[in-house]
């Protein structure tokens, strides 16, 4: 039986919700009937959603962002901490400042936004926070070591905040695998490279941003009303162990 999620009346903030995975999340909440506010450092338009410029690493800007949403809409029901990412840089070549900025964006910024949102949600009596994490926090992340470490920290932060802020606020995360976006070529190269990478996934393809968005909507919805402190893995089955391709006809 198909269950359609109805979030009419819900006010949702999606950080970095204007492109890539964030855009898929924004579209999913709009499809569910929610009022969606997006933010990013650079202006961008998403049909059906409003936009507020904000650097989520800046506590003052985050406070203004959340208070502005409350002033306009009266409440904040859902926050999706999606803003994040990291360019490729080997750990021994990247500067201390580079590492600091990566951790700041992928771990400390979600904490800042969550703190501001939680204050509102506790007062209104309910709320849901969804942190967009990564499989990089669960396996080696060569070339993006600080990013992987930050995402591992985000998973830990998710479970801790779920305990501290219960019972009024639920806090969950998505550990997202490889997603096909407009920037896939930066990570995987040509179309042939993208297709080759997709074949390493048990489901045989990369995720679409909309599929990640659907999972975010589920965690924020009443269907997940007893789910808190959880990290939902969205990776198409993960990665086949390397030894399977290296083995000479044997089995483990």
């Amino acid at each position: 039986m198909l269950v359609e999620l109805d979030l009419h009346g819900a006010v949702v903030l999606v950080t970095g919700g204007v492109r890539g995975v964030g855009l898929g999340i924004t579209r999913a909440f709009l499809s569910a009937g929610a009022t969606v506010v997006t933010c990013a450092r650079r202006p961008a338009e998403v049909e059906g959603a409003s936009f507020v410029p904000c650097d989520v690493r800046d506590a003052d800007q985050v406070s203004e962002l959340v208070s502005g949403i409350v002033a306009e809409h009266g409440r904040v029901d859902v926050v999706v901490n999606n803003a994040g990412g990291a360019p490729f840089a080997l750990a021994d070549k990247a500067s201390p400042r580079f590492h600091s900025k990566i951790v700041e964006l992928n771990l400390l910024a979600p904490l800042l936004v969550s703190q501001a949102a939680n204050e509102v949600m506790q007062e209104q009596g309910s709320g849901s926070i969804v942190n967009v994490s990564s499989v990089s926090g669960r396996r080696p992340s060569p070339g993006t070591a600080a990013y992987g470490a930050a995402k591992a920290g985000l998973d830990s932060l998710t479970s801790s905040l779920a305990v501290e802020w219960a019972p009024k606020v639920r806090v969950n995360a998505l550990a997202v695998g490889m997603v096909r976006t407009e920037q896939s070529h930066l990570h995987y190269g040509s179309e042939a490279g993208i297709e080759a990478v997709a074949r390493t996934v048990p489901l045989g393809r990369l995720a679409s941003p909309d599929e990640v968005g659907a999972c975010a909507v589920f965690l924020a919805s009443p269907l997940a009303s007893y789910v808190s402190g959880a990290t939902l893995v969205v990776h198409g089955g993960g990665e086949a162990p390397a030894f399977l391709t290296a083995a000479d006809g044997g089995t483990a």
Side-chain angles (χ1 to χ4, degrees), residues 7 12-15 21 25 29 76-83 109-111 113-114 117 121 127-133 151 154-155 157-158 161-162 165 169-176 212-221 224 227-232 234:
L7 294 181
V12 180
L13 167 63
V14 182
T15 69
V21 171
I25 293 171
F29 277 99
V76 178
D77 297 292
V78 178
V79 166
V80 182
N81 285 306
N82 166 75
L111 176 56
V113 175
S114 296
M121 292 172 175
S128 175
I129 296 171
V130 179
N131 294 318
V132 178
S133 187
K151 292 301 190 181
L154 186 59
D155 289 342
L157 179 68
T158 296
L161 296 184
W165 296 347
V169 177
R170 295 187 300 109
V171 187
N172 292 291
L174 298 172
V176 180
V212 179
C215 293
V217 171
F218 163 70
L219 286 179
S221 78
V227 180
S228 194
T231 297
L232 176 62
V234 187

Side-chain angles (χ1 to χ4, degrees), residues 20 30 32 38-39 49 65 69 71 74 87 90 96 98 117 120 131 140 143 154 156 160 183 211 218-219 229:
L30 288 171
T38 65
C39 74
L65 169 68
I69 294 172
L90 294 173
F98 175 89
V120 175
N131 294 318
L154 186 59
S156 177
S160 295
Q183 293 189 324
E211 288 176 311
F218 163 70
L219 286 179

Side-chain angles (χ1 to χ4, degrees), residues 13-42:
L13 167 63
V14 182
T15 69
V18 296
R19 57 182 58 86
V21 171
L23 179 57
I25 293 171
T26 295
R27 288 193 297 241
F29 277 99
L30 288 171
S31 294
T35 296
V36 181
V37 179
T38 65
C39 74
R41 284 181 293 168
R42 293 182 294 274

Side-chain angles (χ1 to χ4, degrees), residues 117 119 133 139:
E119 184 176 356
S133 187
R139 55 150 171 77

